[in-house]
Amino acid sequence: MSRAAKSGPPPDHLPAPMPAKPWRWGWWTALFALMVVLVLVSLPALWSGTAKTLSYTDFVSDVDADRVASVTIDDRGYVRGELRDGNEFVTQIPTALDTGGLSAQLASKKVPVTGTQTDGGWGGLLSFLLPLVLLVAMFMWLSRRARGVLSGGNLGFGRSRAQIIEAERPTTRFADVAGYDGVKQEVSEVVDFLRDPGKYAAAGAKGPRGVIMVGPPGTGKTLLGRAVAGEASVPFLSVTGSAFVEMFVGVGASRVRDLFREARTRAPAIIFIDEIDAVGSRRGNGIGGNDEREQTLNQLLSEMDGFDQSSGIVVLAATNRPEALDPALLRPGRFDRQVMVPLPNQTERAAILAVHAEGKHLDSDVDLGRVSRATPGFSGADLANLINEAAIFAVRDDRTDITAADLVAARDRVLLGRRDSSNALLPDERWAVAVHESGHALLAALCEHADPVEKVTILPAGMALGATEQLPEAERHLYSEAYLNDRLTVHLGGRAAELVVLGQGSTGATNDLVGATELATRMVTEFGLSPSLGPVGYPQSQLGFLPAGRTSTGVRSYSEQTQRQVDQEVSRLLRKAEDRAVALLARNRDALERLAGLLAEQETLDGAAVLSVLRGSALTTVSHAS
């Protein structure tokens, strides 16, 4: 975004305009003069282009027939003349021919003959050299133009592509960023330091050189950067990490230099680099260590070390891949402060939902607190999408008010995908899905530490033929071993119900097995809940941004023997959970079949309906040790 034009004298901190380069006019004048001279030298040839070209045989025939009025012959055998009918002609005497006979023939016909000598002086030299000089001049001009483009001309690759936000600031403020009070405090201190550096100097405190915001995608890091631009009364230069990377070696480093040069002329200023991992990835991966990305990173490191701390320049960056950043970029003195921007908790989700619900018509039955409890693990971007999807559902029904049912449908749409009514199940498949989902729901009610059931349905959505949704009563930050074991049991409840009622398993448990295996693997490798391996941990990702079971490098950090033990322990935990699930459902088979029948009839049941079905039977539980 360009700065708005202002009337009056320019501010003091703006650099003076660069003077026009006179050499450009000199080059253009010289090139124009060369072209004019070349055209003048070529005029005779152009004029001769109107004459008729004759072969030498035709020329001799015309002489014999007395049709030639006058002839001019130069010493190279070039003949130019006029016929008696007034037309001009040109021809060429072959070099091997004796011209004596031609002269006698012309004399016998009384044709006036004029002899000329080829100009071997300046005219001939100019006609030979001018095209060569013109080509050399054009080549030099194009080379200079290319160097200017690459080093930062008006249309140059080497110019920084930063958006300078100064006159027209974004309307986003910290008040528009719901939650994250600690994060906003740390970021706002940067703005406060630039506004009043004397306050910090009086206490002997130094302002930060750089602040990097780290967190999962969609948590509002870029939004916080825009809020800084809205709050700060200093120039704000915004650029993405990918804008530095080009196919030409050296262009990225040139853009970094240009960015910091621009910031120095406007100091105090803030530089915001979004998705810095695009340029700040670990070095040493390129062949020879001299690729464009490494040169750009080296220049960025040099610039962050090079500027004086009292100059009032702070670099603000954001990334969701901190494990990919070069360690030299994160050391104190460059990015002094690393601010974690995690997924929002329940209170923050409610506040974020309230922000995105502004300007929308919410029905009286909408409880944003309940919606926030039903969306654990949602980021700010996910919550904004949830509200938008609910508004779309309302529009489909020709309504302007968003109801609680719209939000529930939007949540199912986000988590499960679009419901496909055309994907009708066969009667046997419908009963199998009802049994499967009833197994999940029943075990969620029977296991003491499991989260309560919110809804169970057999309506297909996306790749899922049915779904059982559980909502925690309170947001958890610590998971006990008993909770994890109950969660494993609920995961395997669908398969266990199929074994109890149908006598065999099916492919419907595929996703359940994947989730249970990932959870059991983390219990063994990360949480130290395996008696065989003991209290050891092999974390997959230090910050937890990667999916469970994956590392940033894709290579495990333990031996084959340890891997064998891990596989054995994971298998033991899964078999134990399955045996427990089968035992629980077998002892409560009446309730399982009644719940499956009701689900097959009504297709969707809420948690209260599940509990009412279960209260009609004498429930039998199984201890964790069994």
Side-chain angles (χ1 to χ4, degrees):
M1 180 172 61
S2 60
R3 301 188 306 274
K6 300 183 197 178
S7 61
D12 296 336
H13 62 270
L14 291 178
M18 296 294 292
K21 295 185 178 180
W23 63 267
R24 290 185 178 179
W25 293 105
W27 272 104
W28 279 110
T29 304
L31 288 176
F32 180 75
L34 286 174
M35 293 178 65
V36 170
V37 172
L38 182 61
V39 170
L40 291 178
V41 171
S42 304
L43 280 178
L46 296 176
W47 290 334
S48 66
T50 60
K52 179 181 180 181
T53 302
L54 298 177
S55 66
Y56 183 72
T57 302
D58 292 339
F59 168 64
V60 172
S61 299
D62 288 342
V63 172
D64 290 339
D66 199 19
R67 289 195 291 267
V68 178
S70 62
V71 170
T72 301
I73 305 175
D74 63 15
D75 54 3
R76 294 178 301 179
Y78 180 77
V79 179
R80 186 170 62 248
E82 183 179 358
L83 300 176
R84 295 190 183 277
D85 59 4
N87 294 324
E88 295 183 353
F89 71 92
V90 293
T91 188
Q92 177 69 41
I93 301 175
T95 56
L97 187 69
D98 182 12
T99 59
L102 176 63
S103 300
Q105 188 177 5
L106 291 172
S108 65
K109 298 296 182 180
K110 297 182 181 181
V111 178
V113 179
T114 304
T116 61
Q117 184 177 4
T118 303
D119 188 5
W122 288 106
L125 183 63
L126 283 176
S127 64
F128 173 76
L129 290 180
L130 273 179
L132 181 62
V133 171
L134 184 61
L135 289 175
V136 172
M138 289 294 295
F139 176 77
M140 292 178 62
W141 179 78
L142 291 174
S143 299
R144 185 182 293 271
R145 179 70 174 174
R147 287 197 301 270
V149 167
L150 289 175
S151 61
N154 290 335
L155 299 176
F157 293 115
R159 290 292 302 274
S160 168
R161 297 184 178 182
Q163 292 184 349
I164 303 173
I165 302 172
E166 186 173 15
E168 299 178 359
R169 302 188 183 279
T171 58
T172 307
R173 297 293 188 269
F174 284 138
D176 300 322
V177 183
Y180 296 119
D181 293 333
V183 175
K184 288 189 290 187
Q185 179 181 359
E186 292 199 63
V187 176
S188 62
E189 285 178 357
V190 174
V191 179
D192 186 55
F193 167 75
L194 293 176
R195 287 177 175 174
D196 189 8
K199 179 172 62 175
Y200 291 82
K206 296 181 179 179
R209 286 178 178 267
V211 177
I212 183 168
M213 295 180 290
V214 175
T219 52
K221 300 181 293 296
T222 305
L223 181 64
L224 282 167
R226 290 201 299 266
V228 170
E231 294 283 349
S233 57
V234 297
F236 186 90
L237 287 75
S238 175
V239 65
T240 60
S242 59
F244 294 110
V245 182
E246 283 284 355
M247 62 179 293
F248 302 106
V249 176
V251 172
S254 175
R255 288 178 177 173
V256 171
R257 287 191 297 269
D258 187 74
L259 174 64
F260 279 84
R261 185 185 307 116
E262 184 77 19
R264 290 188 190 97
T265 61
R266 301 173 182 276
I270 295 175
I271 297 175
F272 177 61
I273 306 176
D274 198 8
E275 304 295 346
I276 194 174
D277 52 273
V279 68
S281 299
R282 292 176 181 269
R283 290 169 291 181
N285 296 328
I287 299 176
N290 194 31
D291 61 357
E292 164 68 359
R293 194 181 302 273
E294 288 195 9
Q295 287 195 21
T296 306
L297 175 58
N298 291 336
Q299 186 64 42
L300 179 60
L301 298 176
S302 176
E303 292 290 346
M304 293 192 69
D305 270 341
F307 66 81
D308 184 9
Q309 203 162 13
S310 62
S311 62
I313 299 175
V314 174
V315 182
L316 192 65
T319 181
N320 51 35
R321 297 180 59 218
E323 71 282 351
L325 295 180
D326 194 279
L329 195 63
L330 301 178
R331 72 159 175 83
R334 292 193 175 113
F335 283 106
D336 306 284
R337 187 174 292 182
Q338 297 182 34
V339 179
M340 183 68 183
V341 188
L343 291 170
N345 56 35
Q346 181 176 339
T347 304
E348 291 171 339
R349 288 197 299 272
I352 294 172
L353 286 169
V355 169
H356 292 296
E358 290 181 358
K360 297 180 175 62
H361 304 284
L362 299 182
D363 195 75
S364 58
D365 65 345
V366 173
D367 183 1
L368 293 181
R370 181 177 177 82
V371 176
S372 67
R373 189 170 70 88
T375 51
F378 275 48
S379 65
D382 294 331
L383 296 172
N385 185 44
L386 177 70
I387 294 292
N388 185 65
E389 287 288 342
I392 292 175
F393 275 103
V395 171
R396 288 175 183 171
D397 292 340
D398 294 329
R399 290 182 285 103
T400 58
D401 293 341
I402 300 174
T403 64
D406 294 329
L407 290 168
V408 172
R411 179 178 177 273
D412 292 344
R413 175 69 176 85
V414 171
L415 292 178
L416 302 176
R418 183 179 63 88
R419 298 215 177 267
D420 189 1
S421 58
S422 63
N423 188 14
L425 298 176
L426 298 174
D428 292 343
E429 293 176 337
R430 185 182 181 88
W431 172 248
V433 174
V435 169
H436 182 101
E437 298 303 333
S438 297
H440 287 305
L442 183 58
L443 287 176
L446 294 176
C447 294
E448 179 183 358
H449 302 282
D451 294 325
V453 177
E454 171 68 14
K455 183 177 68 173
V456 55
T457 179
I458 59 171
L459 293 176
M463 298 299 294
L465 299 179
T468 300
E469 298 179 8
Q470 297 173 259
L471 288 185
E473 295 178 346
E475 189 147 17
R476 298 179 182 270
H477 301 91
L478 187 67
Y479 303 96
S480 65
E481 185 175 1
Y483 172 82
L484 296 176
N485 284 325
D486 282 355
R487 189 170 173 182
L488 277 180
T489 303
V490 175
H491 265 301
L492 297 174
R495 173 181 168 85
E498 293 176 3
L499 294 176
V500 170
V501 177
L502 305 177
Q504 61 181 355
S506 71
T507 58
T510 302
N511 291 333
D512 298 332
L513 295 178
V514 172
T517 302
E518 288 186 356
L519 177 57
T521 302
R522 299 193 68 184
M523 291 174 63
V524 173
T525 59
E526 294 187 42
F527 307 149
L529 300 179
S530 167
S532 177
L533 267 71
V536 296
Y538 303 101
Q540 304 300 317
S541 174
Q542 293 182 353
L543 293 177
F545 299 159
L546 299 176
R550 299 183 186 177
T551 63
S552 58
T553 60
V555 180
R556 64 171 180 265
S557 57
Y558 42 83
S559 66
E560 289 286 348
Q561 182 179 0
T562 303
Q563 179 66 63
R564 188 177 299 109
Q565 288 182 285
V566 169
D567 294 339
Q568 292 173 353
E569 284 298 291
V570 169
S571 178
R572 182 187 64 81
L573 286 174
L574 294 177
R575 289 182 183 276
K576 179 181 176 181
E578 184 183 51
D579 293 342
R580 182 179 175 221
V582 170
L584 275 170
L585 294 178
R587 297 183 188 185
N588 298 277
R589 180 165 179 170
D590 291 341
L592 174 63
E593 292 183 350
R594 259 200 326 275
L595 182 60
L598 186 61
L599 186 59
E601 178 184 349
Q602 298 187 11
E603 294 184 336
T604 300
L605 298 175
D606 58 15
V610 173
L611 291 178
S612 66
V613 170
L614 297 180
R615 290 192 187 100
S617 300
L619 301 181
T620 304
T621 60
V622 180
S623 64
H624 290 281
S626 61

